[in-house]
Amino acid sequence: MNSHRKSRPTASPFTQRAVRIGLFAAGVAGVATAVPAQAATAAPHTAVASDHVFSHADQAHHTQARDSFTVRQYGDVNAAAARNQANAVSAGCSADDACRSVALSFQIVTFAGERTHLNAVNLSDAANKRCTGCQTLAGAYQFVVSTPTAFTFDDATQRQLADIHSRLDELTRSSLPAAELKSRVDGLASEVTGVLHDAVAHAPKGDAQPAVTLHRHLDGWPGH
């Protein structure tokens, strides 16, 4: 599920801005869903973004890897809800016949407005079910871009994001050790943050300052 749909620390708190924002984050398991990307040409009063990646490895499918990289640009909104979730499960394998399950979701959401209410949820859960020695990793990365005035990413920004998406695909399907995989995925997230900061630097100015906030949640091996 690698469509180019332009999928614990926080980079910069929204309290620094003159916007009114409600922010929530947690970690739970669930079922894979995704909604189509929407362009910023319309200006809905309320925007909703939902992305969910699910991977399940078992004796029939020992290695499973899924990732998503979505970009959703909503323009001027009064309220926005963004949900990003990654779930990975390994079940029924053994130390001599181990499974590997990886689920990674990168979600980028942009919206504009100086008094926008945002409800953002970023979740990940990795589970080993009767799976001794299995490798299971779920990572959710949510990038929220808020600007006082609506703007859209230019071609250069889109190309940079497309390149990062391609490298995320490669990492997701790699056989890298856990620590290196986590480190390199975090590196891609840092690249996305840099690209987004560069993009908003050219956004129309307003009373409030543009903000780029990263919500990151990783769960799984070698924590199991």
Side-chain angles (χ1 to χ4, degrees):
M1 55 191 293
N2 300 316
S3 58
H4 191 58
R5 292 170 294 168
K6 323 278 190 219
S7 100
R8 301 177 174 164
T10 298
S12 61
F14 279 124
T15 53
Q16 296 176 352
R17 296 201 50 213
V19 294
R20 180 168 50 86
I21 290 176
L23 180 62
F24 305 93
V28 299
V31 182
T33 59
V35 298
Q38 299 181 15
T41 52
H45 291 293
T46 301
V48 178
S50 179
D51 295 287
H52 191 170
V53 176
F54 179 75
S55 175
H56 185 279
D58 54 30
Q59 289 182 326
H61 305 282
H62 283 76
T63 300
Q64 294 293 301
R66 300 286 185 271
D67 69 76
S68 176
F69 189 107
T70 61
V71 180
R72 307 184 186 282
Q73 301 183 75
Y74 289 107
D76 291 304
V77 296
N78 295 325
R83 181 185 182 92
N84 185 44
Q85 187 167 345
N87 293 90
V89 176
S90 294
C93 299
S94 65
D96 295 329
D97 190 24
C99 292
R100 177 184 174 105
S101 181
V102 176
L104 298 169
S105 183
F106 277 45
Q107 181 192 63
I108 301 169
V109 178
T110 76
F111 66 91
E114 298 198 354
R115 296 192 63 81
T116 300
H117 178 80
L118 171 68
N119 179 8
V121 180
N122 189 56
L123 318 164
S124 72
D125 182 79
N128 280 351
K129 298 180 178 180
R130 303 179 306 282
C131 207
T132 304
C134 293
Q135 300 178 349
T136 313
L137 176 68
Y141 295 79
Q142 183 182 59
F143 307 82
V144 179
V145 180
S146 57
T147 56
T149 304
F151 85 110
T152 56
F153 295 142
D154 60 20
D155 291 343
T157 298
Q158 297 279 11
R159 286 193 297 270
Q160 288 176 295
L161 294 176
D163 175 67
I164 296 171
H165 179 197
S166 177
R167 285 184 283 142
L168 175 65
D169 289 344
E170 293 175 4
L171 277 178
T172 303
R173 285 150 187 76
S174 73
S175 57
L176 291 172
E180 184 176 354
L181 178 61
K182 289 183 177 183
S183 175
R184 291 181 63 176
V185 173
D186 277 343
L188 290 184
S190 296
E191 287 190 48
V192 172
T193 300
V195 169
L196 298 178
H197 276 296
D198 289 343
V200 300
H202 300 95
K205 300 300 186 289
D207 292 337
Q209 294 298 312
V212 178
T213 302
L214 166 62
H215 306 125
R216 169 190 177 274
H217 196 279
L218 277 169
D219 187 39
W221 103 88
H224 283 300

